[in-house]
Amino acid sequence: MLAVLIVLAMVLGGVVWSAIAGATVIWLSLTTIMATARPSLRLPTLSDVVWFFLRSALGRWILIAAWAETGWHLFCQHP
Amino acid sequence: MVQAALQFRISEYVSRYHPVLWLRHAVGIFESSGRTAQRGLKVCLALGLVVLGWWEGGYRWSASGAHWSVATIIAVTVLTAVVLARVRWRQGGETSTAWLAGAYRGVASWLRRPSWYGLGVIVWVLIAVVVAGWDLHSFLREVHQLPTLSYLIGRVTRFRVGRMGFFLAWLVAGWYVVAARPGSARPGTSHLGRDDAVDAHTAGDALHRRHRHADLHAGLKDSEHGEIPPC
């Protein structure tokens, strides 16, 4: 009941963002569980994705640029 | 008699309170309790981060203090990354060209022989595309019904604790991206987007080439100084 009320009170964008966040959390949990419980059916975890970029200088600089832009946008520009 | 007593007091003072002795004593304590000192250093670092986060949390996005502090952190991080990149290049590792080629080979290999793991990669790409696409769509529409991700985060960072939390998370993420070493990845986790056999071959080959290059360079340096490098 409370969940229905919350959904009704939210704007359309909020509902979509909640759905995306929920799906991402489920996928994160699934990949983490599969990596430890069923190594034969291993799926790429978030750590694998990050390490894919950290393997070379170019990938690392892409992550550093994204990190810097995120910080400036969140803490110094109108959010 | 008085002079002798005075000299004795002075020598006693020097032997007890001389700065060099203090320093030796301090170093001794530090060496004997290395773990305690390391733990203390970590506690100090964590406390320093919390204080920095609390201080930063007090700013609004428009404050000049927020601008120069974030800009300074970005500049220091980039400078550290430049220095570490040079060190990593000397240690050997994957070149950017090999990385791009490896990613391409991984995609081509998956298209030929689809795998469970490759399907997982596609889901990650899909999540990234959906987040970026919906954020762009909301940004372009500019209506209250469609808030962007940064607008939602802004609703949290307007409070001191919220801004502090995001700021600390951002700092830790930056430190990880800059400081994480290629060799510290868990085994079996570094083959995203690549064929295993190709990965091992290319990485081993690149490392061998880099070491050979380093040896040759060292040999050339030695021969410049008139020394013959050992065969």
Side-chain angles (χ1 to χ4, degrees):
Chain A
M1 184 66 185
L2 183 69
V4 174
L5 283 174
I6 289 171
V7 169
L8 287 174
M10 283 168 80
V11 293
L12 173 68
V15 175
V16 174
W17 279 122
S18 302
I20 292 172
T24 308
V25 168
I26 289 169
W27 180 245
L28 263 173
S29 315
L30 185 72
T31 51
T32 312
I33 290 166
M34 294 283 269
T36 49
R38 298 287 297 274
S40 56
L41 294 174
R42 200 173 189 286
L43 287 165
T45 59
L46 181 64
S47 168
D48 293 342
V49 176
V50 173
W51 272 102
F52 167 71
F53 285 96
L54 292 181
R55 263 196 343 229
S56 82
L58 179 63
R60 197 181 286 266
W61 281 113
I62 289 171
L63 283 191
I64 290 172
W67 170 83
E69 163 54 25
T70 305
W72 185 259
H73 181 60
L74 288 184
F75 305 118
C76 301
Q77 292 180 322
H78 200 304
Chain B
M1 183 73 180
V2 174
Q3 198 180 356
L6 195 65
Q7 270 183 348
F8 174 74
R9 291 297 297 273
I10 289 170
S11 65
E12 192 185 334
Y13 174 83
V14 168
S15 65
R16 275 190 187 177
Y17 305 111
H18 196 277
V20 174
L21 291 177
W22 273 18
L23 198 64
R24 274 187 194 165
H25 183 63
V27 169
I29 289 171
F30 190 77
E31 282 174 351
S32 63
S33 56
R35 282 184 187 172
T36 315
Q38 214 171 20
R39 205 175 295 157
L41 198 69
K42 279 181 185 170
V43 170
C44 285
L45 193 70
L47 279 174
L49 272 178
V50 171
V51 170
L52 181 68
W54 185 255
W55 173 74
E56 176 65 36
Y59 282 120
R60 298 279 297 177
W61 64 270
S62 53
S64 63
H67 289 190
W68 70 254
S69 60
V70 170
T72 307
I73 287 167
I74 290 173
V76 168
T77 306
V78 169
L79 276 175
T80 313
V82 168
V83 173
L84 287 177
R86 191 158 172 77
V87 173
R88 282 193 198 102
W89 187 83
R90 281 180 188 165
Q91 285 173 346
E94 198 172 14
T95 60
S96 298
T97 325
W99 177 65
L100 286 172
Y104 172 75
R105 270 198 299 273
V107 172
S109 156
W110 187 81
L111 287 174
R112 280 197 309 273
R113 186 166 44 91
S115 66
W116 182 250
Y117 194 84
L119 205 67
V121 175
I122 289 178
V123 175
W124 277 115
V125 172
L126 204 68
I127 288 174
V129 169
V130 166
V131 169
W134 184 252
D135 200 43
L136 187 67
H137 172 259
S138 307
F139 176 73
L140 292 176
R141 292 288 295 274
E142 279 190 284
V143 288
H144 177 70
Q145 296 287 315
L146 300 172
T148 58
L149 190 58
S150 54
Y151 174 81
L152 293 175
I153 292 172
R155 298 284 290 268
V156 180
T157 54
R158 71 171 60 167
F159 303 104
R160 186 173 207 149
V161 176
R163 187 177 169 93
M164 179 185 164
F166 270 94
F167 183 74
L168 289 179
W170 179 69
L171 275 185
V172 171
W175 170 80
Y176 186 78
V177 167
V178 169
R181 285 179 298 136
S184 58
R186 283 180 289 114
T189 60
S190 60
H191 55 284
L192 187 69
R194 299 188 71 170
D195 192 24
D196 280 357
V198 173
D199 187 5
H201 177 73
T202 316
D205 208 31
L207 199 64
H208 177 72
R209 273 203 309 276
R210 190 65 59 80
H211 283 169
R212 194 173 155 74
H213 176 75
D215 288 344
L216 280 171
H217 191 65
L220 276 173
K221 265 190 165 176
D222 288 342
S223 62
E224 276 172 15
H225 295 293
E227 293 168 16
I228 301 166
C231 296

